[in-house]
Amino acid sequence: MRDPVDVVRRFNRSYTQRIGVLDDSFLGLGMPLGPVRLLFEIGAAPATAQALRDRLGLDSGYLSRLLRRLEHDGLVTVAPDPADRRRRQVTLTPAGRERWAELEHRSDERARLLVDPLTPRQRDRLARALAEADLLVRAATVTFAPADPSSEVARDVVGRYFAEIGRRFGFDSAGETDKDAKLLVPPTGLFVVAVSDGEPVACGGLHTIAPGVGELKRMWVHDDWRGAGLGSRLLRHLEAESRGLGHDILRLDTNGALTEAIGMYQRAGYLPIDRYNDNPWATHFFEKKLCADRA
């Protein structure tokens, strides 16, 4: 079996050489990759400086230097956000839009040079392989952070969770957000949001239901991320957090309509148990002895 690290490093060397990353002038645009990449993001979705920093994972100082260069070149404007003057809104100038269109054209041409020598079957294989690789790499680089269940981002992801289970089995979420604000907070609980490129893509919560016993709540993964292993990674993270809360056992309830979730829990070592609560929407109940993982 090939070492995944060696495979990734070889691909990185090959791909960066062929797409012009090593050139001082990326795609002949007169700028290196850093400012060009930022220019693309601004053109694709104008945003605040903070949002661009989160989306690209850049240091604030480096982002400021890139923005100053783009401003100096007349490609972007940076101005206070009318909705919140503490934030800086970044948009393309007319010259910036022209440069962005040229970037799009040259990027398409460079990609076409890579795929044109391939047969239709090879192109299909390449497209499927790169789509899978992109999803897995993004899943591996997702970050988990605690969040106040009353915060805007938490309400957003939990709202999507409620919408999905409402479609799947008719769940009524009335009053649930207020419950979360009381249960999924320290010192006996927490709520976690998974973020990729500054956007929330998954979430989950924990709270204590008895001495040494925790309960998993609000486990959700965005549709576009299903099949990448993000759910399993988030579950492992929540189990580690559960141990930190002093739980030796972690329980959960779910509905039989959520077959994918049930399969994931079973693969992770959760065993069926009798009903332990009065949730009228729950049909299946599981628990896992976390202390066994420490052995």
Side-chain angles (χ1 to χ4, degrees):
M1 179 180 296
R2 290 177 292 184
D3 183 350
V5 173
D6 288 342
V7 173
V8 170
R9 291 188 60 191
R10 179 176 179 177
F11 176 80
N12 287 345
R13 291 193 298 271
S14 175
Y15 194 61
T16 53
Q17 176 184 346
R18 285 163 176 78
I19 63 173
V21 171
L22 305 181
D23 299 335
D24 288 338
S25 176
F26 182 67
L27 296 179
L29 291 170
M31 299 184 292
L33 178 61
V36 172
R37 182 71 171 85
L38 180 58
L39 181 75
F40 171 81
E41 287 295 327
I42 299 167
T48 63
Q50 180 62 51
L52 290 167
R53 177 187 172 190
D54 292 342
R55 194 188 305 169
L56 293 171
L58 297 178
D59 172 81
S60 59
Y62 180 55
L63 175 65
S64 294
R65 290 193 294 275
L66 291 179
L67 286 175
R68 283 198 297 270
R69 171 168 181 165
L70 294 178
E71 276 190 293
H72 179 268
D73 292 342
L75 302 177
V76 305
T77 58
V78 182
D81 185 351
D84 184 347
R85 299 188 67 81
R86 294 171 299 179
R87 299 183 303 193
R88 296 180 300 156
Q89 187 72 32
V90 185
T91 56
L92 295 182
T93 64
R97 287 192 290 273
E98 289 183 11
R99 186 70 63 89
W100 189 86
E102 182 65 19
L103 170 61
E104 283 285 274
H105 172 71
R106 295 191 186 193
S107 295
D108 283 347
E109 288 301 308
R110 180 61 65 94
R112 191 169 288 110
L113 287 174
L114 287 174
V115 301
D116 275 351
L118 303 176
T119 66
R121 182 169 178 270
Q122 287 174 321
R123 293 175 192 173
D124 182 64
R125 286 181 59 194
L126 177 63
R128 286 187 283 109
L130 288 181
E132 179 79 0
D134 175 62
L135 182 61
L136 291 173
V137 167
R138 288 190 295 128
T141 55
V142 164
T143 57
F144 302 120
D148 182 342
S150 299
S151 66
E152 182 178 347
V153 65
R155 287 177 177 271
D156 175 50
V157 290
V158 172
R160 299 188 204 185
Y161 163 82
F162 286 148
E164 178 173 347
I165 62 176
R167 291 191 301 269
R168 300 283 290 271
F169 59 86
F171 180 80
D172 180 3
S173 63
E176 293 298 318
T177 300
D178 292 335
K179 291 180 183 177
D180 288 354
K182 297 176 181 178
L183 294 178
L184 308 182
V185 292
T188 58
L190 83 161
F191 186 77
V192 170
V193 175
V195 177
S196 174
D197 298 335
E199 294 296 322
V201 295
C203 67
L206 297 164
H207 73 114
T208 302
I209 58 175
V213 182
E215 183 178 40
L216 183 68
K217 302 288 287 184
R218 312 300 183 226
M219 184 82 172
W220 171 82
V221 175
H222 193 290
D223 283 347
D224 294 345
W225 290 79
R226 307 277 167 90
L230 178 57
S232 296
R233 186 174 165 224
L234 174 59
L235 182 59
R236 292 193 299 272
H237 178 81
L238 289 168
E239 288 174 354
E241 294 286 354
S242 187
R243 293 187 193 94
L245 292 173
H247 302 153
D248 295 316
I249 294 174
L250 186 57
R251 291 178 179 168
L252 64 95
D253 65 33
T254 188
N255 185 279
L258 305 178
T259 55
E260 309 94 324
I262 290 173
M264 180 185 69
Y265 296 134
Q266 290 174 329
R267 290 191 298 273
Y270 287 79
L271 301 176
I273 58 172
D274 294 334
R275 174 181 283 273
Y276 65 87
N277 62 31
D278 59 359
N279 180 0
W281 301 98
T283 61
H284 292 62
F285 302 83
F286 295 91
E287 78 171 24
K288 180 177 181 178
K289 290 182 171 57
L290 301 178
C291 54
D293 289 350
R294 296 191 182 113

